[in-house]
Amino acid sequence: MKERVLTNNEKSFVQKAILESIRIDGRTLDEFRKLRISFGSEWGLVLVILGETRALARVTCEVVEPKATRPNEGMLFVNVELGPMAAPHFDGGRQSDECVQLNRILERALKDSGCVDLESLCLVSEEKVWTLRVDVTVLNHEGNTIDCCSIAALTALAHFKRPDITVDGENVIVHTMEEKDPIKVTLFHYPICVSYGIFNHGKIAIADPTYLEERVAEAKMVIGINSYGELCGLHLGGTTLTSAELLLRTSSKASKRARLVVEKIKAAIQKDNDDREKGLPVGFAEGIERNETTVHAQDRMQVRLKRFKLKIDGEERTESDCGEETDPDDAMETIGETSGEVNNEPDEPMAVDDSETVVKVGETAAVLIPVNKDNSNQWVTEEELMQAKVNTGKKRSKAGLKRKKKSLLSRPEQCGFIDVESSEEETVTLTSSDI
């Protein structure tokens, strides 16, 4: 499937918007998309989400013979897969030009910069060494895949732990995770890639371009830099020459970005290690951050209410009082199914669970209100609660009058005569003299 062709209107719209410092997704020119990092149940399995771009990285190790030129060092391989899962226009059988470019940039940033201590991977000099393989799979291609893949590969290397070994003469025994604790991979520094899109003949640079902005951009600049501000690689692609002033300005911003990303990577790894030590469940199901709206909806669905009845003037109200029918305005008489009985004392709240409280606001109405740990109301103030009681009383009186009128017209012999000018019910007894 071929890639969709951009129209001239789309290109001109994006270009004019960027000239006015406006981006399609509402970000500023120097603003990056939200970064989320999740870990799998195994060591070295990481899912990185950058906006809508997703990349999955996994690190594996194997004992092999070293190279003849470097007999005391291990080996590191980086492989990026960009297939139809990422976007329909990528072929699964062969590597595209973009996939080859991703592999070269990542190798230059991770392997050529010497961030991994390869000498620590040596088991027996000139005989056996560890080889690390980093496989990065792009799950969704929505622009700036190089940043997402570099963060995923670096986080996977920092999170990975190789098995411990025992050398007995010429034999090398590889222990399982249960026999001996695994050993972390030594990293000298944490290099990441920061991408910029170039517009307006090399005068404007936007950070973290989306897929549409990448296609419209005149050039693309990828800066490989670590948290110490050391340049690990630089890639310039496109038709526009970048000025020295723009290059210095973007590299300074990229250094700040690298420092923030590395701090977030270390914090995420530390949190995952603490969860594993405490025996908490780990994996993608627990680690992926859910949408706040979804979380709120799921939490509210867990609140289960039990049916309860309210007492009026010390007598329990039943549904068959005076043969009254249920009115739509009386929907607040029963609040679903609650997990406990409501206190019969007026205006006295009763906790349904640790985070819910039922507060009576009328004769036959109550409101379920979440509370804080100090048992204080976090949604409704005292003034709003009093106003709700007044409004509910007026509403209840009107609903009762309407219901009594309907009952009088339908069965006047059961309930007697009612003075419709007042909300109070009055029973009149007629004698023969009155007739």
Side-chain angles (χ1 to χ4, degrees):
M1 182 177 179
K2 293 185 179 181
E3 190 175 10
R4 185 178 66 88
V5 179
L6 289 180
T7 62
N8 294 330
N9 292 334
E10 290 178 304
K11 294 180 180 179
S12 61
F13 178 78
V14 174
Q15 291 173 352
K16 291 180 179 179
I18 291 177
L19 290 177
E20 298 178 2
S21 299
I22 300 174
R23 301 180 69 173
I24 304 300
D25 52 3
R27 292 181 292 155
T28 60
L29 298 182
D30 297 332
E31 184 179 355
F32 293 85
R33 290 176 292 181
K34 184 178 179 181
L35 175 64
R36 287 174 287 178
I37 302 175
S38 303
F39 298 95
S41 57
E42 301 178 1
W43 296 107
L45 184 60
V46 180
L47 173 65
V48 174
I49 303 175
L50 182 63
E52 296 297 329
T53 304
R54 299 168 181 260
L56 179 68
R58 183 171 184 175
V59 179
T60 55
C61 61
E62 186 181 1
V63 178
V64 296
E65 293 184 1
K67 295 182 179 179
T69 57
R70 295 187 179 273
N72 299 327
E73 293 183 0
M75 291 178 285
L76 174 65
F77 294 99
V78 180
N79 179 43
V80 180
E81 294 184 4
L82 197 60
M85 180 183 296
H89 61 272
F90 292 116
D91 295 333
R94 61 182 181 87
Q95 288 187 341
S96 60
D97 296 338
E98 185 174 355
C99 184
V100 175
Q101 181 180 346
L102 284 174
N103 279 282
R104 290 179 178 177
I105 295 176
L106 280 184
E107 285 184 357
R108 190 180 304 119
L110 296 176
K111 187 176 179 180
D112 296 344
S113 65
C115 67
V116 180
D117 185 10
L118 298 180
E119 292 183 358
S120 64
L121 302 178
C122 179
L123 302 180
V124 180
S125 179
E126 300 181 359
E127 293 184 7
K128 296 181 183 299
V129 296
W130 284 108
T131 175
L132 300 181
R133 181 182 177 89
V134 184
D135 293 302
V136 183
T137 304
V138 181
L139 303 181
N140 188 34
H141 179 38
E142 196 56 38
N144 200 9
T145 54
I146 181 60
D147 286 21
C148 188
C149 292
S150 66
I151 295 174
L154 179 63
T155 309
L157 283 173
H159 184 258
F160 178 72
K161 292 184 179 181
R162 60 179 177 84
D164 197 0
I165 57 98
T166 300
V167 179
D168 184 11
E170 297 181 355
N171 299 327
V172 177
I173 302 174
V174 180
H175 300 281
T176 61
M177 301 292 182
E178 292 78 11
E179 294 176 351
K180 285 189 177 183
D181 294 335
I183 302 175
K184 294 186 64 175
V185 178
T186 304
L187 297 179
F188 293 126
H189 57 95
Y190 291 77
I192 66 167
C193 296
V194 183
S195 300
Y196 287 91
I198 309 300
F199 289 86
N200 193 19
H201 305 288
K203 297 179 181 179
I204 299 177
I206 61 173
D208 190 12
T210 60
Y211 179 60
L212 178 60
E213 292 172 343
E214 282 183 347
R215 299 186 63 184
V216 179
E218 301 170 358
K220 185 178 181 180
M221 179 170 54
V222 181
I223 301 174
I225 195 168
N226 58 16
S227 58
Y228 304 108
E230 299 173 347
L231 190 64
C232 302
L234 180 63
H235 172 77
L236 296 175
T239 59
T240 301
L241 295 177
T242 305
S243 62
E245 181 183 359
L246 181 64
L247 182 61
L248 292 176
R249 188 170 68 251
T250 53
S251 60
S252 176
K253 295 177 181 179
S255 177
K256 298 179 182 178
R257 168 67 176 178
R259 192 179 303 110
L260 295 176
V261 172
V262 170
E263 290 177 357
K264 186 167 185 177
I265 291 174
K266 292 181 179 179
I269 294 176
Q270 183 63 36
K271 183 179 181 302
D272 182 75
N273 292 334
D274 295 341
D275 293 343
R276 293 175 187 268
E277 291 178 358
K278 295 178 182 178
L280 299 178
V282 294
F284 291 138
E286 289 78 14
I288 295 178
E289 183 177 340
R290 297 176 296 177
N291 186 274
E292 294 180 0
T293 305
T294 306
V295 174
H296 179 72
Q298 291 178 354
D299 292 342
R300 300 306 298 169
M301 289 292 291
Q302 294 177 1
V303 178
R304 297 184 179 181
L305 303 176
K306 183 179 179 181
R307 193 186 184 103
F308 65 90
K309 298 179 181 180
L310 296 176
K311 289 186 178 181
I312 303 177
D313 297 333
E315 296 181 359
E316 186 176 2
R317 175 184 174 87
T318 59
E319 297 180 356
S320 60
D321 288 348
C322 196
E324 296 174 352
E325 299 180 358
T326 303
D327 192 81
D329 295 332
D330 303 332
M332 291 184 63
E333 291 182 4
T334 303
I335 308 179
E337 298 179 355
T338 66
S339 60
E341 298 294 333
V342 174
N343 197 327
N344 297 326
E345 294 297 330
D347 299 338
E348 183 177 353
M350 192 208 84
V352 179
D353 55 16
D354 295 339
S355 61
E356 307 291 341
T357 299
V358 177
V359 179
K360 181 180 177 183
V361 296
E363 293 182 353
T364 58
V367 176
L368 183 64
I369 301 176
V371 296
N372 294 326
K373 294 183 179 179
D374 55 354
N375 202 23
S376 62
N377 187 359
Q378 63 176 355
W379 282 358
V380 184
T381 61
E382 294 295 335
E383 293 76 7
E384 293 175 347
L385 188 59
M386 294 299 297
Q387 185 64 28
K389 292 181 180 180
V390 174
N391 295 338
T392 306
K394 294 180 180 180
K395 190 175 181 180
R396 296 294 306 154
S397 62
K398 292 181 181 179
L401 180 60
K402 181 179 178 181
R403 187 169 56 250
K404 291 169 184 177
K405 285 182 180 180
K406 188 184 297 185
S407 176
L408 178 62
L409 294 176
S410 60
R411 292 181 294 275
E413 67 278 4
Q414 294 183 7
C415 296
F417 294 92
I418 300 176
D419 185 7
V420 296
E421 298 296 334
S422 139
S423 61
E424 298 181 356
E425 181 179 355
E426 182 180 355
T427 303
V428 180
T429 304
L430 300 179
T431 61
S432 58
S433 60
D434 295 334
I435 298 176

